[in-house]
Amino acid sequence: MMDEYERMLRDGLRQAVDRRPPLGTIDPAELMAPRSTDDEPIGLATPETPKAPLARRHPGVRWAIGVAAAAAAAALLLLVPGLLTPKPIPATPVATSPPAPEPVEPTPTIEPTTEPEPEPEPGVDLADLTVSTAGWKTFSSPEYPITFMYPPDWELSYSKRTAALAKAEQLTPAGIVDGCGVDGCDVHLRPPGQGDEGTHVVLMRTGFYGDGFSGPIPGAWLLATLPNLQVWTSADPTVEPVAATVMMRSAAGFRVGGPPKDLGAPYDYMLSTAELAPAIAVGEANPLAEHPEASFSFEANGGVPEDQVNTVVTILTSVRENPDFNPTQPARDKSGRPKFWMRSMDAAPTSGIDSVDSSGWETLEVPDGNISLRVPPKWKVSTLADDDDGTRSGITHIVAPSGYVIAVLTNGEAEFGCQSVTEWRIPERLGYLPGLTAADADGVERTVDLWWQDATWTPAQVWLSVTRPTEGSLLCSQSVIDYGGLYPVYVGSADNSKNPTQAELVQAAAILTSLERLS
Amino acid sequence: MSLGVEADRLKGATAVMTADDTSFVEFVRSRADRFLDLAWLVTRDAEDARDAVQDALAGLYARWALLPTGDEFEAYVYRTVVNSCLGVIRRRPRSLPVAQPEGLPMAPVGADPAQAVAASDEVWRLCGALSPDQRTAVVLRFYQDLSFAEIAAALGCRESTARSHVHRAVLALRAQVEGQR
């Protein structure tokens, strides 16, 4: 979590706050004084004068009901692959370092072109909401499944990959594709002159890690239907395509699990379906079974100012299928992993762990958690100071020479979390710590297991958790464990931004498996 | 200050305080300074920071009785404050005023001041070069200690985008620092 530069950011921000000019105090009475209707707070409508959204002023619009959050929707279950037979974990490792990836020069592939103004779509009443596209440019790239039109003075940009950036991000050798970061591929469209400020219309390919379809968009209203644009919303071959829609949602927030509330302008706008699919795909045939990465989202969020709404809606409704789209780019490696991900580790962390010599290791005691851990000599231990108001931090870091961090946290809640195991997000249980059990949040005594997950769009991770048996469903585990101390404890990888070395990964596993209760 | 005294003080401006009003007052008193810090870090301007927080809190009060509870409440609050900060940034004129001296980090008193100033300067300079969304993600992550899910909710973006903002900012800081060595 806290390598040197993250620590610098944290300290630098705190120093900046310490030195900020006085901003006075906020008087609640002033905030509660009656306000005129001409002086509406930003982003919210007053209860007395609710401001109807654009959709409600337009005939034919209907409500779309938001449904439960992704976690609840993920009760539609997946089989949990790869659970190993329990086995004890022995003690220590060995070291290798993977070779650095070769840098690859990027090749720009996006070239805007101009096209004649499209014919009006039959059956779509958008006359009040769209503008003329005469003179507009067209975005078209074989890396993206759709084309769209945009005003000639709007600025199109995409994340540029360079060899240096790819190397810094530990990408696989062929990981450089313009527009694609480790979390996917995206193109940004902005109004003129605002630079990075203001409205962003973002086209993003979403299916690289299988989350493109997790849960509908909550709290969105249907603004218009595009009957001439059919989209796919599932890899299920029995599901028929549906008409695309333009949806809108209050940018001020939304309530999950119930009907959307009128929280007032400004609004976000997105291409979706009447059933609020968060990601869609286009094509004469459903591409999703073979190429889940053909799914995409296309939306303007952050709140679109009223003077840009018509332009944004026009952009969204100008979408067409791109016949030149090549879903195989960015490429995948032999195991099917996207090549722009972080480099995978050479082996699981328990490979070679038998050879680790921990005889010279120091013992770290964490009395609040009633545990101790063994720490290799070149790793550094630091404990974050408590806040100025006395709030305890409960954070200890064990930092490898590369900066990779194992965190020991006594500031969390002992409760189960469940996640769907997707094609890309595959945690692996390596075994249990012999002689050690712990009561889970339900009071059931369980083994303490070592888990790991190879690098994907995030670095490789290891952690300890107790796991609740599931019946071919979600993976439910609890990584904050009660060992009989004052507080339950998380021991595992922190939010690192880089992979460990292979040797450090094995050492990290050895640190975790050295855990013992103090009493 | 007890509730009774507070109710007396406000009687001229409003009717007798309701339970909602009381909870709002407590909320403002306990959180306003932290929001001002956040707004200062995002907007980098004292007046804008104060305006953003006042507008956000006034907006929250207008909907106070209807706001969600628990984690949704926190998400809603952060979203409102963040939107307000980004809103004041968007409304700025293109030409920015000359940097105000009080807006620059001062030399600290204490051990190794040169190094501390250098680090703080680097961070301040970096944050100024980030887009408002990226800067907000960095502030929420490293100053407010929010999770990526919470940051995504506050910014109205995907969690992966929030991670990407922070990750790229860290890389940019490293490149900035190493470029000067």
Side-chain angles (χ1 to χ4, degrees):
Chain A
M1 170 163 79
M2 293 295 288
D3 69 6
E4 174 190 348
Y5 295 99
E6 291 178 349
R7 196 176 301 118
M8 190 184 288
L9 277 165
R10 180 183 286 265
D11 292 343
L13 290 172
R14 288 188 174 173
Q15 286 165 17
V17 165
D18 289 343
R19 294 176 193 120
R20 68 165 168 80
L23 300 179
T25 54
I26 304 280
D27 183 357
E30 285 182 13
L31 302 171
M32 295 158 70
R35 297 163 71 97
S36 74
T37 54
D38 291 335
D39 183 22
E40 287 187 7
I42 293 172
L44 296 173
T46 62
E48 299 78 20
T49 57
K51 189 171 180 181
L54 201 60
R56 291 196 191 159
R57 298 196 288 272
H58 185 77
V61 170
R62 61 180 172 84
W63 291 83
I65 306 298
V67 297
L76 299 174
L77 309 174
L78 297 174
L79 287 174
V80 178
L83 288 180
L84 301 180
T85 304
K87 60 178 188 255
I89 305 294
T92 47
V94 78
T96 58
S97 293
E102 291 295 319
V104 175
E105 288 302 314
T107 303
T109 58
I110 300 172
E111 292 183 33
T113 60
T114 55
E115 276 191 6
E117 184 176 352
E119 293 297 311
E121 292 290 350
V124 176
D125 183 7
L126 294 172
D128 293 340
L129 302 173
T130 55
V131 297
S132 167
T133 58
W136 280 28
K137 296 182 179 179
T138 298
F139 167 77
S140 177
S141 163
E143 289 180 357
Y144 291 87
I146 59 170
T147 68
F148 59 85
M149 300 188 75
Y150 62 99
D153 59 342
W154 279 45
E155 295 156 7
L156 189 71
S157 67
Y158 47 90
S159 49
K160 288 274 195 188
R161 310 320 304 284
T162 63
L165 185 61
K167 189 173 177 182
E169 291 183 344
Q170 300 179 320
L171 298 183
T172 56
I176 300 181
V177 177
D178 277 341
C180 293
V182 292
D183 51 355
C185 302
D186 50 77
V187 174
H188 289 250
L189 182 61
R190 300 181 181 89
Q194 291 184 23
D196 284 339
E197 302 168 9
T199 303
H200 285 214
V201 185
V202 182
L203 168 60
M204 181 181 290
R205 287 177 62 184
T206 58
F208 293 105
Y209 35 89
D211 285 339
F213 298 94
S214 57
I217 303 169
W221 297 290
L222 184 144
L223 181 62
T225 301
L226 310 179
N228 288 340
L229 181 65
Q230 298 289 300
V231 298
W232 305 91
T233 60
S234 168
D236 182 345
T238 65
V239 175
E240 295 291 325
V242 295
T245 62
V246 176
M247 312 297 289
M248 61 187 290
R249 180 184 71 194
S250 173
F254 53 87
R255 181 181 287 277
V256 173
K261 287 193 145 193
D262 174 12
L263 296 174
Y267 298 94
D268 296 339
Y269 297 84
M270 58 221 55
L271 201 67
S272 179
T273 67
E275 298 305 314
L276 308 170
I280 51 180
V282 293
E284 207 171 307
N286 189 345
L288 294 169
E290 292 276 328
H291 297 289
E293 65 272 34
S295 67
F296 67 94
S297 64
F298 191 37
E299 57 188 64
N301 55 34
V304 178
E306 282 225 33
D307 62 346
Q308 294 170 5
V309 168
N310 288 6
T311 302
V312 165
V313 172
T314 306
I315 291 169
L316 292 174
T317 57
S318 74
V319 166
R320 302 289 182 273
E321 180 190 339
N322 181 9
D324 299 325
F325 172 53
N326 179 0
T328 66
Q329 293 299 319
R332 295 173 183 261
D333 60 23
K334 288 180 187 172
S335 65
R337 291 160 50 91
K339 280 193 172 177
F340 57 83
W341 277 2
M342 296 186 75
R343 183 170 26 85
S344 59
M345 305 305 294
D346 291 340
T350 44
S351 172
I353 198 171
D354 291 344
S355 307
V356 171
D357 179 10
S358 63
S359 55
W361 290 21
E362 301 275 342
T363 298
L364 166 67
E365 291 189 354
V366 184
D368 282 353
N370 193 38
I371 63 161
S372 69
L373 296 161
R374 305 294 307 285
V375 178
K378 291 186 181 176
W379 290 53
K380 293 191 163 83
V381 176
S382 66
T383 297
L384 208 65
D386 295 340
D387 288 351
D388 291 340
D389 62 4
T391 304
R392 55 183 293 279
S393 75
I395 300 173
T396 295
H397 294 148
I398 309 173
V399 186
S402 72
Y404 192 76
V405 180
I406 295 294
V408 183
L409 307 176
T410 56
N411 58 7
E413 297 291 329
E415 55 188 0
F416 275 107
C418 298
Q419 66 178 67
S420 60
V421 178
T422 69
E423 181 186 0
W424 307 116
R425 197 192 287 266
I426 307 178
E428 185 181 352
R429 178 167 170 268
L430 297 166
Y432 64 87
L433 274 61
L436 184 66
T437 61
D440 68 18
D442 297 330
V444 177
E445 205 70 20
R446 301 192 187 279
T447 58
V448 178
D449 304 331
L450 177 68
W451 288 79
W452 93 294
Q453 182 169 298
D454 200 355
T456 56
W457 60 93
T458 56
Q461 305 166 54
V462 288
W463 68 93
L464 295 177
S465 74
V466 295
T467 313
R468 190 161 59 187
T470 53
E471 295 178 2
S473 63
L474 300 173
L475 178 61
C476 297
S477 64
Q478 176 184 323
S479 57
V480 181
I481 302 169
D482 185 355
Y483 295 104
L486 285 175
Y487 305 100
V489 189
Y490 167 84
V491 181
S493 298
D495 292 339
N496 295 285
S497 60
K498 285 180 61 178
N499 273 329
T501 65
Q502 184 64 36
E504 287 173 347
L505 181 68
V506 179
Q507 287 183 319
I511 292 171
L512 269 56
T513 57
S514 72
L515 185 146
E516 291 181 350
R517 290 179 191 258
L518 291 175
S519 61
Chain B
M1 183 181 291
S2 70
L3 174 59
V5 175
E6 179 67 14
D8 288 338
R9 191 173 82 76
L10 290 176
K11 218 178 256 181
T14 66
V16 173
M17 280 210 336
T18 63
D20 280 342
D21 287 346
T22 305
S23 68
F24 178 74
V25 168
E26 287 169 6
F27 169 77
V28 170
R29 289 204 170 129
S30 64
R31 305 284 294 271
D33 278 352
R34 196 85 170 154
F35 292 145
L36 286 170
D37 292 343
L38 166 62
W40 159 250
L41 290 172
V42 172
T43 65
R44 300 163 66 84
D45 179 271
E47 204 172 305
D48 283 351
R50 192 178 167 83
D51 283 349
V53 172
Q54 286 208 300
D55 281 345
L57 291 175
L60 285 172
Y61 177 67
R63 312 291 291 175
W64 191 248
L66 302 175
L67 295 187
T69 57
D71 288 346
E72 282 188 49
F73 172 77
E74 288 298 316
Y76 189 93
V77 165
Y78 272 112
R79 186 78 188 266
T80 304
V81 174
V82 164
N83 268 353
S84 190
C85 292
L86 296 178
V88 298
I89 291 174
R90 280 198 291 266
R91 289 192 296 274
R92 280 176 181 161
R94 277 199 212 180
S95 57
L96 297 174
V98 173
Q100 298 158 351
E102 63 269 23
L104 299 174
M106 297 183 291
V109 175
D112 205 4
Q115 200 165 0
V117 169
S120 176
D121 273 348
E122 294 287 0
V123 169
W124 187 255
R125 193 176 307 130
L126 169 80
C127 286
L130 298 175
S131 72
D133 276 10
Q134 288 177 319
R135 186 161 65 243
T136 303
V138 166
V139 169
L140 292 177
R141 180 70 179 160
F142 294 114
Y143 184 70
Q144 297 284 151
D145 293 325
L146 297 193
S147 69
F148 286 112
E150 290 167 329
I151 296 170
L155 282 172
C157 65
R158 294 174 191 276
E159 187 175 328
S160 58
T161 303
R163 287 181 181 275
S164 182
H165 284 330
V166 170
H167 178 50
R168 287 178 179 153
V170 173
L171 289 177
L173 176 64
R174 186 169 76 193
Q176 178 178 301
V177 169
E178 290 179 353
Q180 294 172 6
R181 284 184 184 158

